[in-house]
C-alpha cells in the first residue's frame, strides 16, 4: 500500500470513527434525558430503594461516557489536523479550517457545556431523591449512618466527575493541543 493510499484510508477511518462517536453521543443524550428521569420516577413510585440510591451514579456514568466520546472525537480530529491533513498539499483540511475560525468550534463548546449543566442538574435532582429515599426507607437506628454515607458517596462522585471534567475540558472543546 502506498503512502498516499494509507493516508487516505487513515483519513476515512478516522472520519468514520468521528461519525460513529457523534451517533453514540446522540444516544447517550437521548438515554440520559428520557430514560434516567423515567427510571427515577418509577423507582420513586414503586419504592425501589436500591435503584433510587444508585441512580445518581448512573447519571455520573452517562456524563463520563459523554465526556469520553467527546474527547475521542476531538482526539481523532486533532490527529487528522496534525498528521493527515498536512500530507495533502495545496488543500486546507476540514479540521484546520474549523480551528482557524473560532466561532465554528463555539457550537462544540456550547453543546458540551449545555450537556454538562443539564446533567449536573439531573445529578443533583437524582441525588436529592436518593437521599430522601434513604431518609424515608432506612430503619431509625441506621438512618443517620446511611444518610451520612450517602451524602459522602454522592459528594465524592460529584467531585470526582468535576475533576475529570476540568482535566479534559480543553481536549473536549478544541483540536488544538
Amino acid at each position: 500500500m502506498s503512502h498516499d493510499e494509507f493516508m487516505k484510508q487513515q483519513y476515512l477511518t478516522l472520519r468514520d470513527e468521528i461519525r460513529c462517536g457523534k451517533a453514540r453521543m446522540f444516544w447517550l443524550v437521548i438515554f440520559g434525558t428520557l430514560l434516567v428521569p423515567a427510571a427515577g420516577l418509577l423507582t420513586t413510585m414503586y419504592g425501589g430503594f436500591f435503584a433510587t440510591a444508585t441512580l445518581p451514579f448512573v447519571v455520573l456514568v452517562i456524563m463520563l461516557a459523554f465526556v469520553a466520546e467527546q474527547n475521542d472525537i476531538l482526539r481523532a480530529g486533532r490527529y487528522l489536523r496534525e498528521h493527515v491533513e498536512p500530507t495533502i498539499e495545496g488543500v486546507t483540511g476540514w479540521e484546520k479550517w474549523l480551528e482557524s475560525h473560532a466561532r465554528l468550534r463555539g457550537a462544540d463548546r456550547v453543546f458540551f457545556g449545555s450537556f454538562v449543566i443539564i446533567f449536573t442538574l439531573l445529578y443533583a435532582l437524582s441525588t436529592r431523591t436518593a437521599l430522601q429515599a434513604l431518609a424515608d426507607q432506612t430503619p431509625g437506628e441506621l438512618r443517620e449512618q446511611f444518610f451520612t454515607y450517602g451524602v459522602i458517596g454522592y459528594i465524592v462522585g460529584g467531585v470526582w466527575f468535576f475533576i475529570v471534567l476540568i482535566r479534559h475540558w480543553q481536549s473536549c472543546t478544541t483540536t488544538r493541543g
Side-chain angles (χ1 to χ4, degrees), residues 115-134:
F115 177 87
V116 169
I117 290 169
I118 289 167
F119 274 77
T120 298
L121 293 173
L122 189 57
Y123 178 73
L125 289 171
S126 63
T127 298
R128 185 201 171 283
T129 302
L131 289 173
Q132 187 64 47
L134 269 169

Side-chain angles (χ1 to χ4, degrees), residues 61-158:
V61 168
I62 292 170
M63 292 168 73
L64 289 169
F66 187 84
V67 169
E69 286 297 333
Q70 180 74 3
N71 189 44
D72 290 349
I73 288 168
L74 289 185
R75 184 178 56 223
R78 185 176 306 114
Y79 185 84
L80 285 171
R81 184 177 57 79
E82 293 175 0
H83 298 285
V84 177
E85 291 176 353
T87 66
I88 306 168
E89 294 180 29
V91 175
T92 299
W94 174 252
E95 294 296 333
K96 184 176 182 180
W97 180 78
L98 277 176
E99 285 299 332
S100 68
H101 297 85
R103 64 180 168 67
L104 299 174
R105 275 288 185 218
D108 290 331
R109 282 187 290 283
V110 168
F111 182 71
F112 183 71
S114 297
F115 177 87
V116 169
I117 290 169
I118 289 167
F119 274 77
T120 298
L121 293 173
L122 189 57
Y123 178 73
L125 289 171
S126 63
T127 298
R128 185 201 171 283
T129 302
L131 289 173
Q132 187 64 47
L134 269 169
D136 292 346
Q137 298 175 14
T138 305
E141 63 275 357
L142 296 175
R143 182 174 293 141
E144 188 175 319
Q145 184 180 10
F146 277 27
F147 187 83
T148 302
Y149 291 149
V151 168
I152 291 169
Y154 298 136
I155 288 173
V156 167

